[in-house]
Amino acid sequence: TLPFQLPEQARFANLTQCPDGITYATSLGIQGGGPRLVRMEFEPGQVSEVAKLQLEGKSLRDDLKSLTCSPSGELFALGDPTYRGVNSLFQLDPSTGFLTFIRVFDVDLITSSSAAR
């Protein structure tokens, strides 16, 4: 169980933890306006909105398919925000919520891990 209560009026998805310990997720609240990037801090037990997710200056309407943090701390997102019928890979700036297209990537889930040395 979480050491704090999540807001009841939001749906959280795509949780990922970065090497620095920061946990990010996407959230769709009841207020609409598209998905948002949120930061979950387990100590002291807070969920805070970071930014609305945007592609080419427009807010996304639908949530992402997947979110991951690379071993170097970069956020990557997978989704189909342009409704092409195939997912694409994006780099995600956590301070602005801006998605930068990398390439079409016809998969349904992305993950990353740090190899043990």
Side-chain angles (χ1 to χ4, degrees):
T1 63
L2 290 174
F4 60 94
Q5 193 73 11
L6 290 172
E8 293 182 18
Q9 303 300 322
R11 179 181 69 87
F12 298 96
N14 303 310
L15 273 76
T16 189
Q17 187 173 43
C18 291
D20 61 5
I22 296 173
T23 299
Y24 291 98
T26 56
S27 174
L28 293 174
I30 61 168
Q31 69 276 16
R36 293 161 171 75
L37 184 67
V38 296
R39 180 178 172 155
M40 296 183 166
E41 297 179 58
F42 299 110
E43 294 292 330
Q46 295 178 318
V47 176
S48 54
E49 181 179 318
V50 177
K52 285 185 177 184
L53 297 177
Q54 299 181 53
L55 177 62
E56 298 173 353
K58 298 178 184 170
S59 294
L60 297 189
R61 293 185 291 168
D62 295 326
D63 204 358
L64 299 171
K65 302 279 187 201
S66 187
L67 182 68
T68 193
C69 196
S70 74
S72 63
E74 295 175 292
L75 281 176
F76 293 95
L78 181 73
D80 184 16
T82 57
Y83 305 102
R84 293 182 185 155
V86 64
N87 291 322
S88 294
L89 182 66
F90 300 89
Q91 186 169 13
L92 173 57
D93 182 332
S95 63
T96 62
F98 292 166
L99 296 165
T100 302
F101 175 80
I102 296 175
R103 61 175 277 213
V104 172
F105 205 54
D106 193 12
V107 298
D108 292 323
L109 177 70
I110 54 172
T111 64
S112 64
S113 66
S114 178
R117 293 182 185 230

